[in-house]
Amino acid sequence: MLIDRRFAERIKKINPSSTLAITSKAKKLKAEGKDVVNFAAGEPDFDTPDFIKEAAIQAIKEGFTKYTPTTGTPELKKLICEKFKKENQLDYAPEQIVVSCGAKHSIFNALFVLVDKDNEVLIPCPYWVSYPEMVKLCEGKARFLKTSPENCFKITPQDLKRNINEKTKILILNSPSNPSGAVYSREELEALASICIKNKVFVISDEIYEKIIFDGLKHASIASLGKDIYDLTVTINGLSKAYSMTGWRIGYLGGPPDIVQAISRLQDHSTSNPASISQKAAVAALKSDSDFCKKSCQEFQRRRDYLVSRLKEFKKLNYVLPGGAFYIFCGIAKTGMDSFTLASRLLDEEFVALIPGNSFGRDDYVRISFATSLSQIETGLDRIKQWLEKQV
Ligand SMILES: Cc1ncc(COP(=O)(O)O)c(C=O)c1O
């Protein structure tokens, strides 16, 4: 008998990560000894602080290596509640928290319990690559909300209103944003919240870059703006970007009790708890003063300032000043190239790796990550500048 090797419909629709083509090629070139400047990184280039590593080593030595409660240890959940209260003015009880294997997992869990077949999920464009694919996995439909550089890639209340219909279930917000660095002000969030409340639209608020924010801007959590929006919002956060802990896989969410209970059931039967050792490391991170986060934020701002001071000289690129995260989204329309062509050629000809904007829904842009040293940024920009000047 023949083996039926057809895969489930739901996986057939999922695109491979479009950033992979460039990043794996960049790695290959580096392994061959080429001097590659990496502007493609999606993670801080700093090491995880030693005190966090020590806490994990201690956990192993003490045999803290078994299952924990599915949604996270009481110790970690208590610290997360305190963090939400102190930094985000959000009252979540420990029963309203689920700790998962990275913020990506938290977002997927939230979508999985909320999205039904053919529900629409509103995603401002440019967007983080995984949102649309996750929506597809949940059998929902992504509806993209176009934004403009003139409005710093943020949606307006009119954009939101115009796109809501009877199928709309969720709005995904990401501030500070990957890839644009856009930061929504409290007032902007209030305007969006009132439309969501009026139309009973849930919000998944991805705040993973919260601590990387520049120019004294203040991060605001949409769920903190009132009871009605609190009841409709799942707040996502994690340790990956703030504490340079991408490999430890700790993310978490807070939300209304009914949604969180459903997510807890899902996690019970899918992944169970995130790694016990990583949870101990997360406890050490959340107990620490904010010194590490502040210093890394200052370093990112220094790099951003240098980058934009240089980009001003680039006649063929335009950009919007990122208010947070560690990316700058550069318009390439004047080069006459699409984003994949430009990224591939830059890598082949100048050994500079950056991410084509088509991965984020904008083929007329590329994303430059400044999660790399100032000297690498300088070298990379010199190469891009010379290369662009050679193009007619
Ligand atoms: C916008 C955004 N959300 C979520 C994540 C996922 O974070 P984690 O590594 O904690 O899963 C990323 C990672 O790149 C991101 O850019």
Side-chain angles (χ1 to χ4, degrees):
M1 212 165 79
L2 276 178
I3 303 170
D4 184 355
R5 298 195 78 91
R6 284 171 303 175
F7 297 131
E9 283 307 316
R10 73 178 81 84
I11 200 68
K12 285 189 200 154
K13 290 182 227 147
I14 305 303
N15 293 318
S17 170
S18 42
T19 58
L20 220 66
I22 297 288
T23 47
S24 55
K25 188 161 183 192
K27 274 192 193 133
K28 190 170 162 271
L29 288 170
K30 204 157 186 160
E32 287 167 5
K34 300 287 186 309
D35 173 23
V36 176
V37 172
N38 184 13
F39 283 156
E43 58 186 350
D45 50 318
F46 319 119
D47 197 2
T48 305
D50 280 342
F51 70 89
I52 297 177
K53 293 182 187 172
E54 290 302 333
I57 293 166
Q58 192 64 20
I60 295 173
K61 286 190 175 154
E62 285 171 5
F64 194 74
T65 54
K66 303 287 168 62
Y67 292 133
T68 74
T70 291
T71 57
T73 60
E75 182 190 27
L76 176 55
K77 287 170 66 172
K78 184 168 168 278
L79 284 165
I80 291 170
C81 291
E82 286 167 12
K83 182 257 175 246
F84 270 138
K85 178 80 185 148
K86 185 166 158 230
E87 297 180 359
N88 308 93
Q89 294 75 53
L90 278 169
D91 273 307
Y92 290 125
E95 308 77 65
Q96 290 176 267
I97 305 293
V98 178
V99 188
S100 299
C101 310
K104 185 182 261 187
H105 186 204
S106 305
I107 299 164
F108 181 78
N109 281 350
L111 285 167
F112 197 84
V113 304
L114 285 171
V115 177
D116 247 327
K117 200 169 172 20
D118 296 330
N119 284 169
E120 283 192 5
V121 178
L122 303 178
I123 304 180
C125 176
Y127 45 75
W128 180 47
V129 281
S130 293
Y131 299 143
E133 305 307 313
M134 289 189 191
V135 170
K136 276 194 251 169
L137 276 170
C138 298
E139 299 187 72
K141 289 219 164 78
R143 179 188 276 264
F144 300 110
L145 310 189
K146 209 163 182 288
T147 63
S148 67
E150 291 72 33
N151 197 40
C152 301
F153 297 110
K154 291 187 268 192
I155 54 164
T156 63
Q158 291 72 24
D159 296 327
L160 181 57
K161 257 190 239 163
R162 217 181 302 127
N163 282 284
I164 292 178
N165 60 45
E166 65 289 352
K167 288 186 180 162
T168 311
K169 186 74 181 264
I170 300 173
L171 165 69
I172 299 183
L173 278 178
N174 175 213
S175 173
S177 150
N178 174 7
S180 71
V183 174
Y184 285 82
S185 69
R186 194 183 168 84
E187 293 69 33
E188 286 164 337
L189 290 176
E190 272 166 354
L192 299 178
S194 72
I195 298 167
C196 290
I197 294 164
K198 206 161 154 205
N199 294 279
K200 308 276 182 292
V201 173
F202 287 97
V203 178
I204 293 180
S205 179
D206 179 353
E207 304 180 12
I208 190 78
Y209 291 100
E210 163 197 45
K211 287 190 192 289
I212 304 167
I213 191 161
F214 310 131
D215 308 323
L217 290 174
K218 291 268 173 292
H219 170 77
S221 292
I222 192 166
S224 73
L225 301 178
K227 167 97 177 74
D228 292 336
I229 193 68
Y230 173 94
D231 284 340
L232 286 168
T233 303
V234 178
T235 307
I236 308 283
N237 215 319
L239 287 281
S240 299
K241 316 284 174 173
Y243 296 91
S244 276
M245 287 178 70
T246 46
W248 300 74
R249 310 311 300 134
I250 295 288
Y252 56 85
L253 59 77
D258 54 344
I259 300 179
V260 171
Q261 275 157 26
I263 291 172
S264 159
R265 289 205 303 279
L266 167 63
Q267 197 159 293
D268 265 339
H269 298 293
S270 48
T271 60
S272 296
N273 59 278
S276 58
I277 300 151
S278 297
Q279 289 191 64
K280 280 287 188 192
V283 164
L286 291 178
K287 271 189 181 160
S288 65
D289 58 31
S290 48
D291 212 39
F292 176 79
C293 302
K294 274 195 193 133
K295 283 202 179 115
S296 39
C297 181
Q298 277 164 5
E299 177 58 21
F300 282 129
Q301 170 141 6
R302 206 160 75 95
R303 296 168 183 181
R304 183 211 61 171
D305 291 346
Y306 173 71
L307 241 168
V308 295
S309 73
R310 290 284 314 272
L311 281 174
K312 287 191 181 116
E313 312 157 7
F314 287 56
K315 292 191 191 69
K316 286 185 186 153
L317 299 183
N318 50 284
Y319 65 89
V320 172
L321 187 73
F326 39 74
Y327 312 105
I328 188 157
F329 210 42
C330 289
I332 55 164
K334 286 188 203 143
T335 67
M337 280 177 253
D338 63 68
S339 64
F340 190 77
T341 305
L342 187 137
S344 315
R345 285 193 54 199
L346 258 181
L347 185 55
D348 287 340
E349 296 167 33
E350 299 292 334
F351 302 125
V352 176
L354 40 72
I355 304 288
N358 64 350
S359 310
F360 313 102
R362 289 293 302 248
D363 205 15
D364 50 347
Y365 279 79
V366 291
R367 188 192 77 179
I368 294 179
S369 160
F370 44 95
T372 186
S373 68
L374 260 185
S375 68
Q376 282 289 286
I377 294 172
E378 191 177 356
T379 309
L381 288 179
D382 288 345
R383 291 186 197 171
I384 298 176
K385 188 160 191 279
Q386 281 165 21
W387 184 79
L388 282 173
E389 279 163 9
K390 280 190 278 181
Q391 314 305 313
V392 277

